[in-house]
Amino acid sequence: MFPLVRNALSSIRIRSIQQIRTRQNHSKYSPDFHDKYGNILLASGTAFCLVAWVLIATQIGIEWNLTPVGRVTPKEWNDD
């Protein structure tokens, strides 16, 4: 019975994972856009965002929710 099953399976043309991987290894790998420029774009985008945040945080004069305790005094009550 074993030869009958083996012949039936071989006629179906099922490739094993090892055969597929071997075939993929023989093909030449050509780098795509992400392989060529991925790290450069990631680094430049990170640098751009950091510079933009630093400029925003230091140059446009935002009050960063500093506490008014000690700087604000209550006004006198006016009963008129």
Side-chain angles (χ1 to χ4, degrees), residues 39-58:
N39 292 334
I40 295 169
L41 285 176
L42 184 64
S44 62
T46 303
F48 176 80
C49 289
L50 286 174
V51 168
W53 275 104
V54 167
L55 287 175
I56 289 170
T58 59

Side-chain angles (χ1 to χ4, degrees), residues 25-67:
N25 284 341
H26 287 296
S27 64
K28 290 190 176 183
Y29 175 74
S30 61
D32 62 354
F33 177 82
H34 300 287
D35 292 329
K36 289 182 181 178
Y37 306 110
N39 292 334
I40 295 169
L41 285 176
L42 184 64
S44 62
T46 303
F48 176 80
C49 289
L50 286 174
V51 168
W53 275 104
V54 167
L55 287 175
I56 289 170
T58 59
Q59 300 298 317
I60 65 172
I62 295 176
E63 285 287 330
W64 293 101
N65 294 328
L66 300 174
T67 180

Side-chain angles (χ1 to χ4, degrees), residues 61-79:
I62 295 176
E63 285 287 330
W64 293 101
N65 294 328
L66 300 174
T67 180
V69 174
R71 291 187 290 146
V72 176
T73 57
K75 295 180 180 179
E76 292 294 325
W77 185 259
N78 189 359
D79 280 336

